[in-house]
Amino acid sequence: MTEQRRRMRSAGITLGLTALVAASLTGCSNDDDQPDYAAICVDPQTQERTDDGNCKDEREYHGSGAGFFWFYMATRGGGLVPPIGGRYNTGQGTFTTPSTRPGASGSPTIKRGGLDTKGGDIGKISRGGFGKAGKGGSGG
């Protein structure tokens, strides 16, 4: 009888600890899943966002040359992503690949492409992929 109680208590403690660890990991994963920087494909000559398919590699734009380049924006801080065809703000990002995490140490996480083609708040990147939370709207 006492042996059975010990087993039940042990199982209860194990389940409780497992639930506590799972809840802790879930709470921590929200910030870790969001990349530090998101990149949009742009044409630096026109200063407009283009389709992600135009940026085929990680070349950096250094103020000259033609073609399309990735433009890196920090995902925290309230930056706005322009829609495709919209002008981007050069003050909100950089053409060089970020090497540090904003406000922290270590290597940054970077996600190239996949942002909502209609633009919006860069901070609303959904977990497990890109995109922003849909905003309701009505058609005409």
Side-chain angles (χ1 to χ4, degrees):
M1 185 165 140
T2 57
E3 181 67 27
Q4 185 178 10
R5 283 186 178 176
R6 280 189 203 151
R7 287 184 185 166
M8 290 180 72
R9 276 191 210 155
S10 178
I13 291 171
T14 301
L15 285 173
L17 288 174
T18 302
L20 181 64
V21 170
S24 298
L25 292 175
T26 301
C28 293
S29 66
N30 286 340
D31 285 341
D32 292 340
D33 288 348
Q34 184 174 15
D36 297 313
Y37 293 92
I40 56 173
C41 185
V42 299
D43 180 349
Q45 305 306 315
T46 63
Q47 294 190 351
E48 292 179 354
R49 181 179 176 194
T50 68
D51 185 78
D52 294 337
N54 291 327
C55 289
K56 294 182 174 52
D57 54 32
E58 299 174 20
R59 292 183 304 147
E60 293 182 356
Y61 179 68
H62 298 287
S64 63
F68 303 102
F69 298 88
W70 291 111
F71 184 74
Y72 302 94
M73 302 172 66
T75 57
R76 295 170 182 89
L80 295 176
V81 177
I84 289 182
R87 291 180 65 103
Y88 60 92
N89 183 348
T90 56
Q92 288 186 331
T94 177
F95 281 102
T96 56
T97 306
S99 59
T100 58
R101 297 182 76 183
S105 61
S107 298
T109 54
I110 300 171
K111 183 75 173 172
R112 291 176 182 82
L115 291 173
D116 192 332
T117 58
K118 295 177 184 170
D121 185 352
I122 196 170
K124 295 191 177 189
I125 297 171
S126 62
R127 291 176 58 188
F130 263 31
K132 71 176 186 63
K135 292 183 178 179
S138 60

